[in-house]
């Protein structure tokens, strides 16, 4: 027989709880924070932010702007980004231009 003690939740949203939909309302304004800079996709309490740009310098600048805006949004909403669960993926496409000389 397993015995466990109940403890209060100090932060976060418990898995499969009735609080899940309330959390979605709580973060509903996040996409507006990133408007015209990036695309954000939400599923439950996970968020994916997509940043695109053909110019590498502009791309890096956009990344910095997005993370600055995200940090300000988290601070204003008394939330914290969990850096242990945060992943950054850089995807580049290779464009090969062939010039035919006759």
């Amino acid at each position: 027989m397993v015995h466990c003690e109940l403890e209060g939740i100090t932060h976060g949203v418990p898995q499969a709880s009735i609080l899940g939909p309330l959390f979605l309302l709580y973060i509903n304004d996040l996409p507006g924070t990133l408007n015209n800079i990036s695309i954000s996709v939400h599923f439950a309490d996970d968020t994916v932010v997509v940043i695109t740009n053909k110019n590498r310098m502009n791309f890096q600048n956009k990344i910095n702007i997005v993370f600055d805006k995200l940090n300000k949004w988290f601070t204003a909403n008394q939330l914290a980004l969990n850096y242990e669960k945060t992943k950054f993926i850089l995807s580049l496409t290779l464009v090969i231009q062939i010039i035919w000389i006759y």
Side-chain angles (χ1 to χ4, degrees):
M1 185 165 143
V2 176
H3 175 74
C4 61
E5 307 246 345
L6 296 177
E7 292 190 27
I9 298 172
T10 58
H11 62 280
V13 178
Q15 293 292 322
S17 76
I18 195 166
L19 299 176
L22 294 175
F23 179 74
L24 294 177
L25 290 174
Y26 189 69
I27 66 164
N28 196 35
D29 65 332
L30 179 59
T33 302
L34 304 174
N35 61 351
N36 299 328
I37 299 172
S38 64
I39 300 167
S40 60
V41 180
H42 305 275
F43 179 77
D45 62 343
D46 291 328
T47 301
V48 174
V49 178
V50 180
I51 305 167
T52 61
N53 199 293
K54 293 180 181 179
N55 180 290
R56 187 176 182 135
M57 289 302 293
N58 290 342
F59 180 68
Q60 289 175 332
N61 289 337
K62 282 177 86 173
I63 291 170
N64 291 331
I65 291 168
V66 166
F67 273 99
D68 183 54
K69 287 183 175 280
L70 283 173
N71 283 326
K72 287 178 182 175
W73 184 89
F74 277 106
T75 301
N77 288 283
Q78 298 179 354
L79 295 171
L81 183 63
N82 186 341
Y83 288 100
E84 291 180 11
K85 292 184 176 181
T86 302
K87 305 292 183 226
F88 180 83
I89 300 171
L90 176 62
S91 176
L92 301 172
T93 56
L94 180 62
V95 177
I96 300 175
Q97 189 173 27
I98 300 174
I99 302 172
W100 293 92
I101 301 175
Y102 293 98

